[in-house]
Amino acid sequence: NERSAALVAGLLAHAPFLTQIMRQDPAGLLACLTEAPEARRDALLAEVAQAGAAAGDAPELMRLLRRFRRSMALLIALADIGGVWDVETVTAALTATADIAVRLATDHVLRQAADLGRIRLSDPADPGAGSGLVVLALGKHGAGELNYSSDIDIVVFFDPEVAEAAGVAEPTSFYVKLTQQIARIIQERTPDGYVFRVDLRLRPDPSSTPTVVSVPFALHYYESVGQNWERAAFIKARPVAGDMLEAKVFMNDLTPFIWRRSLDYPA
């Protein structure tokens, strides 16, 4: 109809990135214009979840995630600029895009590590369960407030006892490599672009610690020398991938640090 034509014409005139997506995927554009945006969003999320879980290697998963990200970007922009979605629905859809990218990348690297005999998975259908790996989203990602140009802030911890039970030999180096692989899958630029830029610097004392630190170290750090800005940052913390049970325990243990019983003036 005329409104759809005007919307597409406006994008062609003013949005080079979206124009490129429309030219590469005209069927996706048609689906965005003819289906209810909520149905299209849910279908894209379901499709990438199924295809991502079945991806044979990292390059295949990277292609899937980048094409999914493009499809979601077009849908969200059309629903936003067309006045169909309010800002909360837009930021929630962008956040859901980041959530599933982190989860699929995390599950993939855990499965790969299990195939190489470096970790025992308690449930191959849910690789994060019992892995001891805790992946938290912070910042706009954690709060469900991502915008179009946001990077994603993730912090990764591991439980040494769970890691030992899962057969991990050198947990620190093992989980550091895993986290680097997760970040590469999401942020490396390929001919298909990238999914999100990944910031890992919100971990404890980032200038002198590895990319991943153990849960006991993190708890000791926050209890002894944690800063007010870290306290504020963790108000937005939310588990997004890995061992969800371990993440829940960790967040419970961290609650007294985040929400102090008594506050001094700076706090």
Side-chain angles (χ1 to χ4, degrees):
N1 60 28
E2 288 184 15
R3 285 186 65 195
S4 296
L7 178 58
V8 172
L11 294 183
L12 290 170
H14 300 290
F17 173 64
L18 297 173
T19 297
Q20 183 184 24
I21 296 172
M22 291 189 290
R23 286 180 172 152
Q24 290 171 337
D25 186 16
L29 171 61
L30 182 62
C32 288
L33 296 173
T34 55
E35 298 174 16
E38 295 79 13
R40 173 71 175 159
R41 174 199 62 203
D42 294 347
L44 287 171
L45 288 165
E47 285 168 15
V48 79
Q50 185 175 7
D57 55 20
E60 183 184 353
L61 178 62
M62 290 166 75
R63 278 193 302 275
L64 280 169
L65 288 177
R66 280 150 184 75
R67 290 169 187 176
F68 159 72
R69 163 69 166 159
R70 288 206 304 260
S71 298
M72 284 291 278
L74 179 61
L75 169 67
I76 295 166
L78 286 167
D80 185 7
I81 297 166
V84 181
W85 279 356
D86 60 18
V87 66
E88 287 86 359
T89 311
V90 168
T91 55
L94 289 164
T95 303
T97 304
D99 282 359
I100 202 162
V102 174
R103 182 167 61 80
L104 287 171
T106 302
D107 287 354
H108 180 80
V109 299
L110 283 167
R111 280 196 200 95
Q112 276 196 323
D115 290 343
L116 294 169
R118 293 173 185 163
I119 187 173
R120 289 190 300 272
L121 300 182
S122 55
D123 181 5
D126 181 10
S131 66
L133 183 69
V134 173
V135 184
L136 304 179
L138 272 69
K140 289 188 178 76
H141 183 194
E145 299 168 348
L146 282 182
N147 61 44
Y148 291 105
S149 60
S150 296
D151 58 6
I152 58 174
D153 296 295
I154 59 174
V155 187
V156 187
F157 305 99
F158 71 91
D159 186 308
E161 291 182 10
V162 179
E164 185 179 352
V168 177
E170 297 177 9
T172 299
S173 61
F174 172 76
Y175 290 113
V176 163
K177 285 175 186 170
L178 244 59
T179 302
Q180 290 169 342
Q181 289 168 351
I182 292 166
R184 186 179 72 82
I185 286 170
I186 296 169
Q187 73 177 0
E188 186 175 281
R189 289 183 180 271
T190 73
D192 294 306
Y194 68 100
V195 191
F196 288 95
R197 297 182 306 277
V198 177
D199 190 343
L200 295 163
R201 293 173 297 176
L202 291 184
R203 68 186 184 274
D205 196 10
S207 61
S208 60
T209 56
T211 314
V212 183
V213 297
S214 73
V215 167
F217 174 89
L219 291 173
H220 175 73
Y221 169 87
Y222 291 124
E223 287 166 7
S224 57
V225 293
Q227 305 294 305
N228 279 325
W229 72 264
E230 291 172 310
R231 185 172 287 114
F234 268 91
I235 291 172
K236 296 182 177 182
R238 180 172 58 88
V240 288
D243 193 332
M244 290 299 190
L245 187 61
E246 182 61 36
K248 186 177 180 182
V249 172
F250 176 68
M251 291 304 297
N252 283 341
D253 290 344
L254 203 60
T255 298
F257 163 71
I258 303 170
W259 306 106
R260 286 172 57 184
R261 285 174 182 265
S262 58
L263 300 177
D264 53 21
Y265 182 74

PDB file of all heavy atoms in Angstrom, residues 9-29:
ATOM      1  N   ALA A   9      10.587   3.849   0.366  1.00  0.00           N
ATOM      2  CA  ALA A   9      11.231   4.933  -0.389  1.00  0.00           C
ATOM      3  C   ALA A   9      12.089   5.791   0.537  1.00  0.00           C
ATOM      4  O   ALA A   9      13.202   6.199   0.170  1.00  0.00           O
ATOM      5  CB  ALA A   9      10.167   5.791  -1.081  1.00  0.00           C
ATOM      6  N   GLY A  10      11.580   6.044   1.733  1.00  0.00           N
ATOM      7  CA  GLY A  10      12.352   6.826   2.696  1.00  0.00           C
ATOM      8  C   GLY A  10      13.638   6.128   3.100  1.00  0.00           C
ATOM      9  O   GLY A  10      14.697   6.748   3.195  1.00  0.00           O
ATOM     10  N   LEU A  11      13.562   4.813   3.306  1.00  0.00           N
ATOM     11  CA  LEU A  11      14.763   4.050   3.663  1.00  0.00           C
ATOM     12  C   LEU A  11      15.769   4.047   2.514  1.00  0.00           C
ATOM     13  O   LEU A  11      16.973   4.187   2.719  1.00  0.00           O
ATOM     14  CB  LEU A  11      14.385   2.616   4.036  1.00  0.00           C
ATOM     15  CG  LEU A  11      13.538   2.417   5.298  1.00  0.00           C
ATOM     16  CD1 LEU A  11      13.317   0.929   5.564  1.00  0.00           C
ATOM     17  CD2 LEU A  11      14.187   3.063   6.514  1.00  0.00           C
ATOM     18  N   LEU A  12      15.263   3.866   1.282  1.00  0.00           N
ATOM     19  CA  LEU A  12      16.155   3.858   0.114  1.00  0.00           C
ATOM     20  C   LEU A  12      16.885   5.192  -0.027  1.00  0.00           C
ATOM     21  O   LEU A  12      18.039   5.238  -0.450  1.00  0.00           O
ATOM     22  CB  LEU A  12      15.362   3.559  -1.155  1.00  0.00           C
ATOM     23  CG  LEU A  12      14.815   2.128  -1.292  1.00  0.00           C
ATOM     24  CD1 LEU A  12      13.839   2.031  -2.456  1.00  0.00           C
ATOM     25  CD2 LEU A  12      15.946   1.121  -1.482  1.00  0.00           C
ATOM     26  N   ALA A  13      16.208   6.281   0.351  1.00  0.00           N
ATOM     27  CA  ALA A  13      16.808   7.602   0.196  1.00  0.00           C
ATOM     28  C   ALA A  13      17.783   7.947   1.317  1.00  0.00           C
ATOM     29  O   ALA A  13      18.749   8.683   1.097  1.00  0.00           O
ATOM     30  CB  ALA A  13      15.696   8.659   0.138  1.00  0.00           C
ATOM     31  N   HIS A  14      17.554   7.405   2.522  1.00  0.00           N
ATOM     32  CA  HIS A  14      18.294   7.913   3.677  1.00  0.00           C
ATOM     33  C   HIS A  14      19.051   6.859   4.481  1.00  0.00           C
ATOM     34  O   HIS A  14      19.766   7.220   5.415  1.00  0.00           O
ATOM     35  CB  HIS A  14      17.331   8.634   4.622  1.00  0.00           C
ATOM     36  CG  HIS A  14      16.641   9.800   3.990  1.00  0.00           C
ATOM     37  ND1 HIS A  14      17.285  10.972   3.661  1.00  0.00           N
ATOM     38  CD2 HIS A  14      15.347   9.954   3.597  1.00  0.00           C
ATOM     39  CE1 HIS A  14      16.428  11.812   3.108  1.00  0.00           C
ATOM     40  NE2 HIS A  14      15.246  11.220   3.056  1.00  0.00           N
ATOM     41  N   ALA A  15      18.879   5.568   4.197  1.00  0.00           N
ATOM     42  CA  ALA A  15      19.475   4.528   5.049  1.00  0.00           C
ATOM     43  C   ALA A  15      20.265   3.533   4.202  1.00  0.00           C
ATOM     44  O   ALA A  15      19.733   2.499   3.783  1.00  0.00           O
ATOM     45  CB  ALA A  15      18.370   3.809   5.834  1.00  0.00           C
ATOM     46  N   PRO A  16      21.545   3.816   3.951  1.00  0.00           N
ATOM     47  CA  PRO A  16      22.353   2.930   3.084  1.00  0.00           C
ATOM     48  C   PRO A  16      22.448   1.501   3.600  1.00  0.00           C
ATOM     49  O   PRO A  16      22.391   0.551   2.816  1.00  0.00           O
ATOM     50  CB  PRO A  16      23.736   3.598   3.070  1.00  0.00           C
ATOM     51  CG  PRO A  16      23.507   4.997   3.513  1.00  0.00           C
ATOM     52  CD  PRO A  16      22.286   4.994   4.389  1.00  0.00           C
ATOM     53  N   PHE A  17      22.596   1.324   4.930  1.00  0.00           N
ATOM     54  CA  PHE A  17      22.727  -0.022   5.500  1.00  0.00           C
ATOM     55  C   PHE A  17      21.453  -0.827   5.259  1.00  0.00           C
ATOM     56  O   PHE A  17      21.492  -1.975   4.809  1.00  0.00           O
ATOM     57  CB  PHE A  17      23.036   0.078   6.998  1.00  0.00           C
ATOM     58  CG  PHE A  17      23.018  -1.238   7.724  1.00  0.00           C
ATOM     59  CD1 PHE A  17      23.943  -2.233   7.419  1.00  0.00           C
ATOM     60  CD2 PHE A  17      22.074  -1.484   8.720  1.00  0.00           C
ATOM     61  CE1 PHE A  17      23.927  -3.456   8.095  1.00  0.00           C
ATOM     62  CE2 PHE A  17      22.053  -2.702   9.395  1.00  0.00           C
ATOM     63  CZ  PHE A  17      22.978  -3.681   9.080  1.00  0.00           C
ATOM     64  N   LEU A  18      20.305  -0.214   5.541  1.00  0.00           N
ATOM     65  CA  LEU A  18      19.034  -0.915   5.345  1.00  0.00           C
ATOM     66  C   LEU A  18      18.750  -1.142   3.857  1.00  0.00           C
ATOM     67  O   LEU A  18      18.172  -2.162   3.484  1.00  0.00           O
ATOM     68  CB  LEU A  18      17.897  -0.130   6.000  1.00  0.00           C
ATOM     69  CG  LEU A  18      17.996   0.019   7.522  1.00  0.00           C
ATOM     70  CD1 LEU A  18      16.920   0.953   8.051  1.00  0.00           C
ATOM     71  CD2 LEU A  18      17.897  -1.340   8.213  1.00  0.00           C
ATOM     72  N   THR A  19      19.162  -0.204   3.030  1.00  0.00           N
ATOM     73  CA  THR A  19      18.997  -0.374   1.579  1.00  0.00           C
ATOM     74  C   THR A  19      19.757  -1.604   1.095  1.00  0.00           C
ATOM     75  O   THR A  19      19.246  -2.403   0.302  1.00  0.00           O
ATOM     76  CB  THR A  19      19.504   0.884   0.840  1.00  0.00           C
ATOM     77  OG1 THR A  19      18.704   1.996   1.221  1.00  0.00           O
ATOM     78  CG2 THR A  19      19.417   0.703  -0.666  1.00  0.00           C
ATOM     79  N   GLN A  20      20.972  -1.769   1.598  1.00  0.00           N
ATOM     80  CA  GLN A  20      21.778  -2.937   1.229  1.00  0.00           C
ATOM     81  C   GLN A  20      21.079  -4.234   1.638  1.00  0.00           C
ATOM     82  O   GLN A  20      21.029  -5.201   0.867  1.00  0.00           O
ATOM     83  CB  GLN A  20      23.144  -2.832   1.903  1.00  0.00           C
ATOM     84  CG  GLN A  20      24.102  -3.962   1.538  1.00  0.00           C
ATOM     85  CD  GLN A  20      25.409  -3.859   2.325  1.00  0.00           C
ATOM     86  OE1 GLN A  20      25.460  -3.277   3.406  1.00  0.00           O
ATOM     87  NE2 GLN A  20      26.464  -4.433   1.795  1.00  0.00           N
ATOM     88  N   ILE A  21      20.504  -4.248   2.841  1.00  0.00           N
ATOM     89  CA  ILE A  21      19.798  -5.442   3.318  1.00  0.00           C
ATOM     90  C   ILE A  21      18.592  -5.744   2.429  1.00  0.00           C
ATOM     91  O   ILE A  21      18.352  -6.889   2.041  1.00  0.00           O
ATOM     92  CB  ILE A  21      19.340  -5.253   4.788  1.00  0.00           C
ATOM     93  CG1 ILE A  21      20.542  -5.107   5.715  1.00  0.00           C
ATOM     94  CG2 ILE A  21      18.477  -6.438   5.237  1.00  0.00           C
ATOM     95  CD1 ILE A  21      20.165  -4.718   7.138  1.00  0.00           C
ATOM     96  N   MET A  22      17.833  -4.705   2.078  1.00  0.00           N
ATOM     97  CA  MET A  22      16.641  -4.905   1.247  1.00  0.00           C
ATOM     98  C   MET A  22      17.003  -5.457  -0.117  1.00  0.00           C
ATOM     99  O   MET A  22      16.298  -6.303  -0.665  1.00  0.00           O
ATOM    100  CB  MET A  22      15.866  -3.587   1.113  1.00  0.00           C
ATOM    101  CG  MET A  22      15.206  -3.140   2.413  1.00  0.00           C
ATOM    102  SD  MET A  22      14.073  -1.728   2.228  1.00  0.00           S
ATOM    103  CE  MET A  22      15.213  -0.386   1.882  1.00  0.00           C
ATOM    104  N   ARG A  23      18.109  -4.986  -0.679  1.00  0.00           N
ATOM    105  CA  ARG A  23      18.540  -5.474  -1.997  1.00  0.00           C
ATOM    106  C   ARG A  23      19.022  -6.924  -1.918  1.00  0.00           C
ATOM    107  O   ARG A  23      18.830  -7.702  -2.849  1.00  0.00           O
ATOM    108  CB  ARG A  23      19.645  -4.568  -2.547  1.00  0.00           C
ATOM    109  CG  ARG A  23      19.116  -3.222  -3.023  1.00  0.00           C
ATOM    110  CD  ARG A  23      20.206  -2.336  -3.557  1.00  0.00           C
ATOM    111  NE  ARG A  23      19.653  -1.150  -4.180  1.00  0.00           N
ATOM    112  CZ  ARG A  23      20.274   0.016  -4.262  1.00  0.00           C
ATOM    113  NH1 ARG A  23      21.487   0.149  -3.743  1.00  0.00           N
ATOM    114  NH2 ARG A  23      19.708   1.051  -4.842  1.00  0.00           N
ATOM    115  N   GLN A  24      19.675  -7.272  -0.802  1.00  0.00           N
ATOM    116  CA  GLN A  24      20.182  -8.634  -0.644  1.00  0.00           C
ATOM    117  C   GLN A  24      19.075  -9.631  -0.329  1.00  0.00           C
ATOM    118  O   GLN A  24      19.196 -10.813  -0.635  1.00  0.00           O
ATOM    119  CB  GLN A  24      21.233  -8.672   0.482  1.00  0.00           C
ATOM    120  CG  GLN A  24      22.540  -7.970   0.128  1.00  0.00           C
ATOM    121  CD  GLN A  24      23.468  -7.841   1.324  1.00  0.00           C
ATOM    122  OE1 GLN A  24      23.026  -7.875   2.472  1.00  0.00           O
ATOM    123  NE2 GLN A  24      24.761  -7.674   1.061  1.00  0.00           N
ATOM    124  N   ASP A  25      18.006  -9.151   0.315  1.00  0.00           N
ATOM    125  CA  ASP A  25      16.958 -10.064   0.780  1.00  0.00           C
ATOM    126  C   ASP A  25      15.568  -9.487   0.513  1.00  0.00           C
ATOM    127  O   ASP A  25      14.836  -9.123   1.446  1.00  0.00           O
ATOM    128  CB  ASP A  25      17.143 -10.331   2.284  1.00  0.00           C
ATOM    129  CG  ASP A  25      16.164 -11.386   2.817  1.00  0.00           C
ATOM    130  OD1 ASP A  25      15.571 -12.114   1.988  1.00  0.00           O
ATOM    131  OD2 ASP A  25      15.995 -11.459   4.047  1.00  0.00           O
ATOM    132  N   PRO A  26      15.159  -9.410  -0.767  1.00  0.00           N
ATOM    133  CA  PRO A  26      13.831  -8.859  -1.076  1.00  0.00           C
ATOM    134  C   PRO A  26      12.692  -9.683  -0.470  1.00  0.00           C
ATOM    135  O   PRO A  26      11.661  -9.130  -0.091  1.00  0.00           O
ATOM    136  CB  PRO A  26      13.778  -8.868  -2.610  1.00  0.00           C
ATOM    137  CG  PRO A  26      14.866  -9.801  -3.048  1.00  0.00           C
ATOM    138  CD  PRO A  26      15.910  -9.753  -1.987  1.00  0.00           C
ATOM    139  N   ALA A  27      12.887 -11.004  -0.359  1.00  0.00           N
ATOM    140  CA  ALA A  27      11.844 -11.844   0.256  1.00  0.00           C
ATOM    141  C   ALA A  27      11.660 -11.472   1.730  1.00  0.00           C
ATOM    142  O   ALA A  27      10.535 -11.461   2.249  1.00  0.00           O
ATOM    143  CB  ALA A  27      12.211 -13.318   0.126  1.00  0.00           C
ATOM    144  N   GLY A  28      12.767 -11.160   2.402  1.00  0.00           N
ATOM    145  CA  GLY A  28      12.688 -10.740   3.794  1.00  0.00           C
ATOM    146  C   GLY A  28      11.971  -9.410   3.931  1.00  0.00           C
ATOM    147  O   GLY A  28      11.178  -9.212   4.862  1.00  0.00           O
ATOM    148  N   LEU A  29      12.223  -8.492   2.989  1.00  0.00           N
ATOM    149  CA  LEU A  29      11.517  -7.207   2.991  1.00  0.00           C
ATOM    150  C   LEU A  29      10.016  -7.419   2.830  1.00  0.00           C
ATOM    151  O   LEU A  29       9.213  -6.833   3.557  1.00  0.00           O
ATOM    152  CB  LEU A  29      12.060  -6.318   1.868  1.00  0.00           C
ATOM    153  CG  LEU A  29      11.288  -5.024   1.603  1.00  0.00           C
ATOM    154  CD1 LEU A  29      11.291  -4.112   2.836  1.00  0.00           C
ATOM    155  CD2 LEU A  29      11.864  -4.302   0.387  1.00  0.00           C
TER     156      LEU A  29
END
